[in-house]
Amino acid sequence: MSVIKVENLHKSFGDLEVLSGIDEEINQGEVVVVIGPSGSGKSTFLRCLNRLEEITAGKVWIEGEQINSPQVDINKIRQETGMVFQHFNLFPHKNVLENIILAPVKVKGVDRKEAEKIAYDLLDKVGLRDKATTYPKQLSGGQKQRIAIARALAMQPKVMLFDEPTSALDPEMVGDVLEVMKDLAEEGMTMVVVTHEMGFAREVGDRVLFMDEGLIVEVGPPEQIFGDPQQERTQKFLAKIL
Amino acid sequence: MIADKIAVLRQALPYLLQGAGMTIRLTFFAVMIGIVIGTILGLARVSRNKLFKGLAKAYIEFFRGTPLLIQLFLLYYGLPNLGIDIQSHVAAILGLGLNSGAYVGEIVRSGINAIDTGQMEAARSLGMSYPQAMKFVILPQAIKQVVPPLGNEFIALLKDSSLVSVIAVRDLTRQGRLIISRTYESFLIFTAVAFLYFIMTFIMTRLVNYAERRLNVGD
């Protein structure tokens, strides 16, 4: 069964249509990389998957549950879909450990000791155990993003959504973050990644979606999209960035 | 001559201090009411519920758009006219508190709006409900934004509380005027009254600065 299923997804902001009918299915353990020019709707698409953007029309299912039906408890769905943002959005009034355990303790009701144990395991995973009592302000961008990933993972999500996770980073910080994401992919996490990192798309992606003007123009394995793109718009885009 | 003045002042002082005590009590309770009402109004103003939003806006516009003096008259003289008896100091606390709530509401609203929208999104993306996100993520950060203007608001409230002297509350201003009506020492007594107000606002300013520094520890 597909983990994420999207059917004829439309999204408008007022009169402006940003997504004009997206169909997509993402399977368990798949890493899907979404690329495309800015304004193509890729971030909006991602944000519709956990309803940070309200869906104008169409249907989205996560793990078989339609997330834009009126009966759904969206907070429950969001517990299972972790999200990582371009600008990290760590909670500045809480230290690293508190950032990570806040949602598990307050939302899931995990025992604090247990949550801290999970948090320290995750800090080991992202290589930042020594930063547990540090406040976000004192971290570099790359460190912030790795903490943000750990924070999302602490809810033990079934899907991880990444919204340009390295776009706000200094170039020398990008590698550490991508490394963490690569590990996660290897562990079998289902991931949807909006990014401009073509190297990552090529190396880690199972499939690449090329979006333009609110539509998925071309889908395929990275070798095909980067090696032998079929659509003219894909070719033009790749010619510009590669 | 000077000895006379000192004697007047010495006699007046206990009464003035009594009045200052009343001013402090009125301000304290009005601040409490103002914080409670202001928080509710601020939350209503940023909520997506149109009804709450509209009601909060109407409340704020009414209390900011009409003189405090008239609001006090409405409570103290107006309510008995409708068959509701109200004691003068109750009317004073209510009037000051309801009025202050409107200003605090705007302060709370702008404090919440000053927090980056990414904070709410991050909290919601982790599965927190809107109230949880407000409680654990947004409001703790908004408090820092809110303390300096809130301090100013409460200092203004303490000074505005002198208006309640016209509805028979024995606050500092009224005590001063009562003493003047017996002694005719208006310059001397009003100077003393002004001095006592100044001491109170001076101490409040220090307290607000202290609270600001405390809140800035840690980040």
Side-chain angles (χ1 to χ4, degrees), chain A residues 51-95:
Chain A
R51 256 180 60 193
L52 274 191
E53 299 295 348
E54 284 301 333
I55 293 159
T56 309
K59 289 173 181 169
V60 175
W61 292 265
I62 302 281
E63 295 253 305
E65 198 157 358
Q66 192 192 330
I67 67 166
N68 59 329
S69 84
Q71 297 91 347
V72 82
D73 179 359
I74 191 63
N75 299 324
K76 265 258 154 354
I77 303 278
R78 284 180 180 145
Q79 290 176 36
E80 316 214 310
T81 53
M83 188 172 228
V84 175
F85 300 85
Q86 182 179 354
H87 295 291
F88 332 120
N89 299 340
L90 292 180
F91 306 136
H93 60 302
K94 298 199 171 288
N95 71 25

Side-chain angles (χ1 to χ4, degrees), chain B residues 2 42 71 83 155 161 169 180 206 215:
Chain B
I2 290 196
Q71 292 162 20
I155 289 163
S161 75
V169 177
I180 291 165
R206 299 301 114 152
L215 282 169

Side-chain angles (χ1 to χ4, degrees), chain A residues 47 50 52 75 78-79 81 83 85 89-94 102-103 106-107 135 137 151 155, chain B residues 48 116 118-119 121-130 132 136-138 140-141 144 218-219:
Chain A
R47 290 161 59 86
N50 66 352
L52 274 191
N75 299 324
R78 284 180 180 145
Q79 290 176 36
T81 53
M83 188 172 228
F85 300 85
N89 299 340
L90 292 180
F91 306 136
H93 60 302
K94 298 199 171 288
L102 179 66
K106 300 294 186 189
V107 178
Y135 280 84
K137 211 165 104 177
R151 179 178 68 177
M155 291 299 281
Chain B
R48 270 193 265 177
D116 186 85
Q119 292 291 310
E121 290 186 347
R124 297 304 304 273
S125 80
L126 288 163
M128 285 186 216
S129 64
Y130 181 87
Q132 283 175 328
F136 299 125
V137 176
I138 306 299
Q141 295 182 61
K144 274 183 213 179
D219 77 339

